[in-house]
Amino acid sequence: MSHPLSPDDIAALQSAVDWWADAGVEALPPLPEETRPQPQARQAPQRREPQQTSREQRQTASPAAAQAAGYGALPDQYGAAMARAANDIEALKAALGDYNGCPLKATARNLVFARGNPQAKVMLVGEAPGRDEDAEGKPFVGEAGQLLDKMLAAIGLDETSAYITNLVFWRPPGNRKPTDQEVEACTPFTARHIELIKPDALVLVGGLSTQTLLGAKQGITALRGKWTDYKCEDGTSIPTLPIFHPAFLIRRPQEKAKAWADLLSLKGKLGG
Ligand code: URA
């Protein structure tokens, strides 16, 4: 029997499904019971209890619905207090698991915390997870992450000698840029993350983490390759190097020479 849909129909449907997945819609909620076909002989209508919102239903929520559900409604000091109370990396990860101050949590599949060695001398902070990172719950595992791994390998670093995280811990739907509010909701945790790892060298990967964590106005093109100090809340400073984001280097391979110079500078700082 031939398929009722033509190959073109199937391709169009697949592309619509992919588009929704890219936009962060990972599952459709079940139809409310009232809209399902009802049997003819009905019993006396029963009062329905208010429905519990399932995780799948929350995943389809718009930013406005996420806010209405209580995500992102917490004052900034709440996140800062939770982050400060975390005395080690595991406690910080657990605190993020409990934290509902960032609206992105409502649409993400997973918390994307970190990968690599927490004892490493070098810590890299990227921007925000994408689709692959959201699915795996690990930062930099997609195409940009593969390039980042190659860049690190070129100076002898890997997951045993580097620690990799992001500024923002949940995927923005459709891989859009996180809003200021979303970044602000995550920043106390990122700051505490850096303070707890206390690397010998901090690498800020891309413009967003550079501008946010250094409070800089200039763009990454002006700041990359220039060592500066990141000031921790405990008063200590960490030598910090902004570099181009690998996603940018994929789009602009002609800039790779500058990234290579920056990597050599990092290698020199680490004593290699
Ligand atoms: N880009 C980032 O900045 N971080 C990731 O984890 C993936 C892509």
Side-chain angles (χ1 to χ4, degrees), residues 112 115 125-134 138-145 148 164-168 175 205-206 209 245-247:
V112 177
R115 67 178 172 98
V125 182
E127 299 190 339
R131 184 175 169 175
D132 296 323
E133 290 76 19
D134 182 42
K138 282 188 184 175
F140 282 106
V141 293
E143 194 187 359
L148 184 66
I164 302 171
T165 186
N166 280 311
L167 180 68
V168 167
N175 298 350
V205 184
S209 48
H245 196 287

Side-chain angles (χ1 to χ4, degrees), residues 120-123 193-202 237-239:
K121 286 184 180 177
V122 58
M123 175 176 190
H193 207 174
I194 296 168
E195 202 168 65
L196 287 170
I197 295 291
K198 196 65 63 91
D200 290 353
L202 176 66
S237 296
I238 301 173

Side-chain angles (χ1 to χ4, degrees), residues 47-52:
R47 199 177 160 274
R48 296 184 64 220
E49 294 303 320
Q51 271 189 341
Q52 195 70 16

Side-chain angles (χ1 to χ4, degrees), residues 4 52 96 128 241:
Q52 195 70 16
L96 277 166
L241 180 69

